[in-house]
């Protein structure tokens, strides 16, 4: 133990030694201090967190217990971290362009991006892993793009994006969650903004009944849009239950306003609940429309003359609610009040009665509305009956007991608040290990703080965000790690490492590069052996292999103005021997990992000699892994 009392300790009127001494004798001392509601300083928490910090240290060569998948926000990618070390393991480009892997540059990635390759930006928020029976099955990870209204899928065996879908006739896909039970058949995604239909510039009025937004379901396997549901108001976040029947979404703009003042007018907005089998029934019965040239069935889920639709119910909750979280026990949809200090607990087992018209008032399904603090945004769970909610304005995570909050709502005198922990600062999402599955294990919690202010070395006007790791395995939360991150991990999830199974080298039959394999076949090329140039008019295809430290072709000749496609197949079988291909001064760069085929197309517009080189350090003679393109003048 540290025997030197620091200046800071004195200023804070605290003896770190004394504090640690007490907690060392019995952990209960820490609990008592925290539960008494005393505000703990940075120093005292640091001391209390000492033992937790030991758990965070993953020694060199050791592996983390959890995979963390972080949204890269408006940077457009997904990041893979190890938890609890918080070490960044990998980045998966999705809605961005990436010069290391060539995502957005290679033909394989452009094929996956399709139409949306024209966008160079994205804004992803919500990563979620496919499930079977309410548990992660490790197959796919899905993520939204708010900026260009898209949903992407990542194959977790190779950790590459393999499909991107643009949702038609909507603007800004925000909330995204998956069907949990019996398996992820649908990806549910919220289109946030209300727009006129058709949006052809003739009407700009949001009051019009032809102005609306839609709740969307994407088929997880085909990635085609399965259906859309028109809603009243707008849509923020969403989640699904553990029966496979209901999903719910928050709406902060029940006012259908177009400015800040208008969006805050109502004291209550609502949670809209969707009966998914009922939507499927409507479509089967032909009760749907289509919009524009989209063929996607659209079901109307709005109230008509005060009467509910067949597929939705609107449950009033205060005020501009944001996060929507299903408790891990499947009992509640929890709507986070944002402009109200409360969370609203909706009893999922009462929803069949609500849909059957057996309840007088939709508010009857609200069975708890705990007062938690200022700015509740998102809630997570530890599997032991506690919920944890971020308080954006208070800069805290509040731990509260779910069933006690329900009893308090009935009038019982019970203090459901267990602890408030300062985080730094202004937290948005928070996520506890496995909390969105039935296996919530209550070990780690990450609070994704939007501001870091004074927590790190200054980096100019633009600051990093701060993803803080909190140990929730004991009776009290302990902050154990500050994690600076670049713009902007809205959300993250954690899966046990045994739930993710990755390939070490590519399968030659992988669909990721199947279109390139098909092209080679047409050209009569054996990708694993041939080093050949095929010409078809001014289109030139250069096929070569690579094996450390050499390309199969160290020179090729083309004519100025030719459209050149370089196709490289990496014949190395050894794990980790990735090659690259860069054509100098041509904006050409890509990754070719062991047993992968990658291709990239460019115009040879400059006569002369142009070197190409390997960009991934693969061998002692990596620098020598080069070749020359010779371009004859036109
Ligand atoms: S939302 S900070 Cu984009 Cu996930 Cu709540
Ligand atoms: Cu191949 Cu470096
Ligand atoms: Ca509102």
């Amino acid at each position: 133990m540290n025997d030197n009392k620091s200046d800071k300790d004195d200023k804070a009127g605290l003896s770190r030694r004394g504090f640690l001494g007490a907690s060392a004798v019995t952990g209960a001392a820490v609990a008592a201090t925290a539960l008494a509601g005393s505000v703990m300083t940075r120093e005292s928490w640091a001391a209390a967190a000492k033992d937790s910090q030991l758990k965070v240290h993953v020694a060199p060569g050791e592996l983390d217990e959890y995979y963390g998948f972080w949204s890269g926000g408006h940077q457009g990618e997904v990041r893979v971290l190890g938890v609890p070390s918080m070490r960044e393991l990998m980045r998966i480009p999705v809605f961005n362009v990436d010069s290391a892997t060539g995502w957005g540059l290679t033909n394989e990635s452009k094929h996956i991006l399709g139409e949306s390759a024209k966008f160079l930006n994205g804004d992803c928020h919500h990563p979620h892993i496919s499930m079977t029976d309410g548990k992660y099955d490790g197959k796919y990870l899905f993520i939204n793009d708010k900026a260009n209204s898209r949903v992407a899928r990542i194959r977790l065996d190779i950790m590459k994006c393999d499909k991107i879908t643009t949702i038609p006739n909507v603007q800004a896909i925000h909330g995204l969650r998956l069907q949990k039970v019996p398996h992820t058949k649908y990806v549910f995604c919220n289109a946030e903004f209300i727009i006129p239909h058709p949006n052809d510039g003739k009407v700009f009025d949001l009051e019009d009944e032809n102005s609306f937004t839609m709740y969307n379901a994407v088929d997880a396997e085909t990635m085609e849009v399965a259906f859309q549901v028109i809603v009243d108001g707008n849509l923020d976040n969403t989640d699904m239950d553990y029966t496979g029947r209901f999903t719910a979404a928050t709406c902060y703009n029940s006012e259908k306003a177009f400015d800040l003042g208008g969006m805050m007018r109502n004291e209550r907005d609502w949670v809209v609940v969707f009966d998914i089998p009922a939507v499927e029934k409507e479509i089967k019965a032909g009760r749907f429309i289509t919009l524009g040239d989209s063929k996607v069935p659209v079901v109307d889920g709005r109230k008509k003359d005060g009467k509910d639709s067949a597929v939705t119910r609107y449950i009033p909750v205060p005020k501009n609610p944001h996060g929507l979280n299903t408790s891990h026990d499947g009992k509640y949809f929890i709507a986070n009040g944002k402009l109200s200090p409360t969370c609203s607990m909706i009893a999922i087992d009462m929803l069949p009665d609500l849909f059957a018209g057996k309840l007088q008032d939709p508010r009857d399904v609200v069975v708890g509305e705990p007062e938690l603090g200022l700015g509740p945004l998102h809630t997570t769970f530890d599997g032991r009956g506690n919920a944890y909610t971020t308080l954006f304005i208070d800069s805290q995570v509040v731990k509260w007991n779910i069933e006690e909050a329900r009893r308090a709502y009935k009038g019982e005198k019970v203090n459901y608040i267990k602890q408030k922990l300062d985080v730094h600062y202004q937290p948005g999402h928070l996520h506890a290990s496995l909390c969105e599955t039935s296996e919530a294990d209550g070990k780690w919690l990450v609070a994704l703080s939007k501001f870091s202010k004074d927590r790190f070395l200054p980096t100019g006007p633009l600051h990093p965000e701060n993803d803080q790791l909190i140990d929730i395995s004991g009776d009290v939360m302990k902050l154990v790690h500050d994690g600076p991150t670049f713009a902007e991990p809205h959300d993250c999830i954690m899966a046990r490492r045994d739930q993710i199974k990755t390939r070490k080298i590519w399968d030659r039959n992988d669909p990721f590069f199947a279109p390139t394999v098909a092209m080679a076949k047409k050209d009569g090329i054996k990708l694993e052996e041939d080093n050949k140039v095929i010409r078809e008019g001014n289109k030139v295809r250069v096929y070569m292999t690579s094996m450390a430290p050499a390309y199969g072709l160290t020179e090729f000749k083309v004519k100025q103005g030719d459209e050149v496609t370089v196709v490289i197949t990496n014949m190395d079988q050894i794990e980790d021997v990735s090659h690259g291909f860069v054509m100098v001064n041509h904006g050409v760069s890509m990754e070719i990992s062991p047993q992968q085929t990658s291709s990239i197309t460019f115009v040879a517009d400059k006569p002369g000699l142009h070197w190409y080189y390997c960009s991934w350090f693969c061998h002692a003679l990596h620098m020598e892994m080069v070749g020359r393109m010779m371009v004859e003048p036109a």
Side-chain angles (χ1 to χ4, degrees), residues 186-208:
Y186 292 129
V187 179
F188 296 104
C189 36
N190 287 349
E192 186 172 338
F193 298 135
I194 300 164
I195 55 170
H197 292 272
N199 194 13
D200 55 5
K202 291 196 183 117
V203 180
F204 295 109
D205 185 5
L206 297 188
E207 300 298 312
D208 189 276

Side-chain angles (χ1 to χ4, degrees), residues 252-253 255 263-264 269 320:
Y252 65 79
N253 190 8
E255 300 89 348
M263 289 178 197
M264 298 195 297
D269 294 283
N320 288 36

Side-chain angles (χ1 to χ4, degrees), residues 117-302:
K118 64 177 183 278
F119 296 124
L120 304 181
N121 73 311
D123 180 11
C124 43
H125 290 220
H126 303 113
H128 292 288
I129 296 178
S130 54
M131 291 185 220
T132 300
D133 296 328
K135 301 177 180 78
Y136 290 140
D137 60 25
K139 202 170 173 193
Y140 300 125
L141 182 138
F142 298 88
I143 191 150
N144 71 302
D145 169 25
K146 178 167 169 176
N148 297 304
S149 310
R150 295 176 290 182
V151 176
R153 181 173 81 185
I154 288 165
R155 264 175 60 195
L156 287 176
D157 61 336
I158 50 171
M159 298 220 179
K160 301 273 186 204
C161 172
D162 84 324
K163 287 217 183 253
I164 291 191
T165 298
T166 302
I167 311 295
N169 297 310
V170 297
Q171 283 181 18
I173 293 299
H174 182 235
L176 177 145
R177 286 292 190 129
L178 309 178
Q179 183 172 352
K180 303 171 197 276
V181 173
H183 70 278
T184 299
K185 179 182 174 199
Y186 292 129
V187 179
F188 296 104
C189 36
N190 287 349
E192 186 172 338
F193 298 135
I194 300 164
I195 55 170
H197 292 272
N199 194 13
D200 55 5
K202 291 196 183 117
V203 180
F204 295 109
D205 185 5
L206 297 188
E207 300 298 312
D208 189 276
E209 75 153 308
N210 291 321
S211 295
F212 52 79
T213 190
M214 295 187 281
Y215 192 67
N216 309 280
V218 175
D219 183 297
E221 276 306 323
T222 65
M223 285 294 280
E224 275 164 24
V225 186
F227 58 77
Q228 300 179 292
V229 181
I230 302 173
V231 293
D232 288 314
N234 79 339
L235 292 165
D236 194 348
N237 279 291
T238 182
D239 204 352
M240 191 170 204
D241 70 359
Y242 284 90
T243 73
R245 179 172 173 191
F246 299 114
T247 64
T250 44
C251 157
Y252 65 79
N253 190 8
S254 60
E255 300 89 348
K256 276 180 97 172
F258 44 81
D259 62 358
L260 186 63
M263 289 178 197
M264 298 195 297
R265 207 184 322 119
N266 295 348
E267 275 316 303
R268 279 177 179 167
D269 294 283
W270 56 62
V271 167
V272 51
V273 178
F274 300 87
D275 182 340
I276 300 304
V279 176
E280 289 170 328
K281 216 170 115 190
E282 291 300 291
I283 293 165
K284 253 207 181 125
R287 287 189 288 272
F288 64 87
I289 57 165
T290 57
L291 294 171
D293 38 11
S294 157
K295 290 189 175 60
V296 176
V298 175
V299 174
D300 199 337
R302 290 176 295 184

Side-chain angles (χ1 to χ4, degrees), residues 524-561:
I525 292 286
K526 266 201 176 138
L527 284 169
E528 296 81 0
E529 294 167 16
D530 291 345
N531 293 290
K532 262 190 202 162
V533 177
I534 304 263
R535 175 175 284 278
E536 196 183 299
N538 70 340
K539 289 190 166 52
V540 179
R541 289 183 287 279
V542 180
Y543 290 97
M544 65 176 96
T545 56
S546 69
M547 171 92 80
Y551 293 116
L553 278 181
T554 51
E555 57 175 77
F556 64 87
K557 203 175 265 177
V558 297
K559 289 200 181 70
Q560 184 182 9

Side-chain angles (χ1 to χ4, degrees), residues 546-551 570 572 577-580 613-619 621-623 625:
S546 69
M547 171 92 80
Y551 293 116
N570 182 350
D572 275 299
V577 183
S578 295
H579 298 293
Y613 69 89
C614 174
S615 50
W616 289 82
F617 212 112
C618 56
H619 193 274
L621 294 170
H622 156 79
M623 295 302 290
M625 188 165 171

Side-chain angles (χ1 to χ4, degrees), residues 36-53:
S38 68
V39 177
M40 312 220 23
T41 63
R42 185 192 287 195
E43 289 76 17
S44 59
W45 270 114
K50 259 270 145 62
D51 56 330
S52 301
Q53 271 163 354

Side-chain angles (χ1 to χ4, degrees), residues 124-126 144 146 174-175 192 236-237 322-323 377-378 390 392 427-429 448 450 488 490-491:
C124 43
H125 290 220
H126 303 113
N144 71 302
K146 178 167 169 176
H174 182 235
E192 186 172 338
D236 194 348
N237 279 291
H322 181 61
L377 287 189
H378 293 277
T390 43
F392 182 81
H429 275 271
L448 296 98
K450 306 283 188 191
E488 178 199 323
H490 286 256
D491 196 3

